[in-house]
Amino acid sequence: MNAVAPAITGFDAKALRGDFPALQQEVNGQPLIYLDNAATTQKPQAVIDALVNYYARDNSNVHRGAHALSDRATVAFENARNKVVQFINAGSSKEVLWTRGTTESINLVASSYARSVLKTGDRILVSAMEHHSNIVPWQLVAEACGAEVVPIPVSDAGELDIEAYKSLLDERVKLVAVGHVSNALGTVNPIKLIIDLAHSAGAKVLIDGAQGVPHFDVDVQALDCDFYAFSGHKMYGPTGTGVLYGKEALLEQMPPYHGGGEMIKTVSFEGTTFNDLPFKFEAGTPNIGGAVGLAAAVDYLQGLDRAALAAHERALMQYAHDKAAAFEGLKRIGCAKTIAGAFSFLLEGVHPADVGMLLDQQGIAVRTGDHCAQPIMKQFGIPGTVRASFALYNTFEDVDALFAGLEKAKTFLL
Ligand code: PMP
């Protein structure tokens, strides 16, 4: 049976493509089909304009307000923070820290929170499907503290084993770090359940939201997570921007992460006092233009019908699955009941890198490899996958082009 593209009302991905200049180009003589959104999304003109306007008019350093430009830059920077506060429903601006991205956000929690609380014999649970960014920082701190990083098992379908998780939750576990959505498999984890179970066992929880925020409305207070980390560049904002949400009481108790300007109140050789939240964790000149650009991305997303957008992305994913089921020799990697964003697969007998190269020759951009998730690739006994990942501007025609491209690739490779 042929897959039929459903009609989604209230959402016009084709029209929105016009907002993204990078999509209006040809690659290798073919119109670009961009399906590498889990790596980074393209940027709408509104974000590019916000960056250009900031650098063309307001560029200055922040929080040093002796002149008009510095005042303007400070207002723009703190307004951007407040926009993020509202976007994820944080309790206040004290709970939203700017970072360079998810990786730095997680390293901040590992170096500051975990390092200050972990003792010999303590445990950090991470799922077996995590991105390296949500494994290695914990390994570094565990080694320094005599603690242990323990993987939560993942089934062959790519779902977290909740029963195994429950049985791992004992008094040794001080922290649980789990991705909202797996970048390698697309699995959407039941994070509310994971958080509630961890809390009832007395552990704190960090959610790696790098692949969550681009696809879902996130309400950190409703989730009750202790930390939520995400990157601006995966949600239509600039690279080098990211956010760490943390509960105020925890952030208050945590020691500074980096030392330098901005994060202090007073400095003397007798002793230094630290600034209030959120500045205690923001040493040095921040990425002011990036924050302004990220705020423009939030505005852009909030200007859309988010429910219709989510329905569109779900329909794209379903359409890809239906096509995959009918495609001979294609094996899906990760078949969780709920998946979002990323669609991973292999063509029988073909190395994923070869598939990627042949798709690129047809103007189709996908990612191939281990997706910085080597442990789960090892569990599945594969070197990597081909990953197509969707964003708001992808259309059913893009999915058609992907499968037509795969047919062509097959004739070359098999
Ligand atoms: N976690 C996940 C699930 C990711 O997909 C990524 C990026 N691929 C990261 C963390 C790291 O994000 P960044 O490189 O923006 O810090």
Side-chain angles (χ1 to χ4, degrees):
M1 199 185 70
N2 281 343
V4 179
I8 302 293
T9 51
F11 194 79
D12 190 348
K14 262 186 218 153
L16 293 174
R17 284 176 96 84
D19 294 341
F20 292 79
L23 297 176
Q24 320 303 318
Q25 62 179 301
E26 293 198 342
V27 168
N28 293 324
Q30 306 284 335
L32 170 65
I33 310 279
Y34 189 77
L35 297 173
D36 193 18
N37 296 289
T40 198
T41 55
Q42 297 302 340
K43 319 304 172 200
Q45 189 64 48
V47 168
I48 298 166
D49 287 346
L51 288 169
V52 169
N53 290 338
Y54 170 75
Y55 284 112
R57 275 174 25 93
D58 301 331
N59 175 55
S60 184
N61 215 323
V62 287
H63 305 137
R64 320 235 157 112
H67 59 84
L69 265 61
S70 177
D71 282 343
R72 268 195 247 149
T74 304
V75 168
F77 184 63
E78 291 306 326
N79 282 348
R81 191 193 310 271
N82 288 330
K83 187 138 281 174
V84 174
V85 169
Q86 176 250 323
F87 182 57
I88 58 170
N89 194 31
S92 79
S93 60
K94 292 180 177 178
E95 298 188 321
V96 168
L97 315 182
W98 294 116
T99 64
R100 285 183 294 131
T102 308
T103 304
E104 189 181 27
S105 297
I106 298 173
N107 275 280
L108 193 165
V109 177
S111 304
S112 170
Y113 177 74
R115 195 174 281 261
S116 63
V117 300
L118 288 181
K119 306 266 179 315
T120 307
D122 284 346
R123 288 181 150 193
I124 304 164
L125 301 187
V126 304
S127 95
M129 69 179 109
E130 293 310 306
H131 188 281
H132 299 160
S133 302
N134 203 20
I135 299 175
V136 183
W138 308 121
Q139 289 177 326
L140 294 174
V141 70
E143 187 162 18
C145 299
E148 200 186 352
V149 178
V150 179
I152 308 165
V154 168
S155 73
D156 289 344
E159 289 179 329
L160 205 106
D161 182 338
I162 292 291
E163 289 312 310
Y165 171 53
K166 283 184 191 162
S167 66
L168 282 169
L169 276 172
D170 60 24
E171 70 294 339
R172 289 173 294 180
V173 178
K174 298 296 181 296
L175 204 95
V176 175
V178 169
H180 192 161
V181 177
S182 157
N183 68 307
L185 310 176
T187 307
V188 181
N189 283 313
I191 54 170
K192 181 62 183 149
L193 176 65
I194 290 166
I195 293 164
D196 290 346
L197 287 168
H199 284 168
S200 53
K204 304 290 184 220
V205 186
L206 176 138
I207 300 296
D208 170 351
Q211 305 292 344
V213 159
H215 303 292
F216 299 110
D217 284 330
V218 170
D219 180 333
V220 288
Q221 292 191 69
L223 284 172
D224 195 29
C225 51
D226 300 289
F227 302 102
Y228 192 100
F230 62 98
S231 301
H233 70 100
K234 293 181 197 283
M235 50 163 285
Y236 313 101
T239 50
T241 62
V243 169
L244 174 67
Y245 159 80
K247 283 184 180 163
E248 184 180 341
L250 285 173
L251 295 175
E252 281 293 0
Q253 147 206 334
M254 285 158 53
Y257 163 58
H258 287 155
E262 283 290 308
M263 52 74 72
I264 50 88
K265 265 192 184 143
T266 62
V267 177
S268 78
F269 289 107
E270 288 71 45
T272 288
T273 58
F274 303 123
N275 209 339
D276 298 326
L277 291 175
F279 312 112
K280 182 171 88 173
F281 291 103
E282 293 180 355
T285 300
N287 184 354
I288 307 158
V292 170
L294 180 51
V298 171
D299 277 340
Y300 183 83
L301 273 173
Q302 291 187 324
L304 304 175
D305 178 340
R306 294 269 278 164
L309 161 56
H312 171 71
E313 290 189 346
R314 271 198 307 276
L316 274 182
M317 191 59 94
Q318 186 57 51
Y319 186 55
H321 282 182
D322 293 348
K323 292 211 118 190
F327 194 96
E328 216 178 296
L330 185 149
K331 181 168 185 252
R332 275 179 56 197
I333 304 296
C335 308
K337 272 186 227 78
T338 326
I339 79 170
F343 174 68
S344 249
F345 60 91
L346 285 171
L347 290 190
E348 241 165 58
V350 184
H351 195 283
D354 294 336
V355 179
M357 193 189 65
L358 283 163
L359 289 175
D360 180 50
Q361 282 173 10
Q362 302 172 66
I364 303 166
V366 294
R367 172 103 175 240
T368 63
D370 62 32
H371 315 298
C372 300
Q374 286 178 11
I376 197 68
M377 296 297 140
K378 192 170 166 204
Q379 176 178 329
F380 290 154
I382 53 177
T385 73
V386 182
R387 182 187 73 187
S389 53
F390 304 117
L392 63 90
Y393 39 68
N394 288 122
T395 60
F396 297 100
E397 286 81 356
D398 290 347
V399 179
D400 289 338
L402 169 67
F403 282 89
L406 288 172
E407 280 295 356
K408 238 190 215 165
K410 237 167 65 169
T411 59
F412 276 101
L413 292 167
L414 292 175

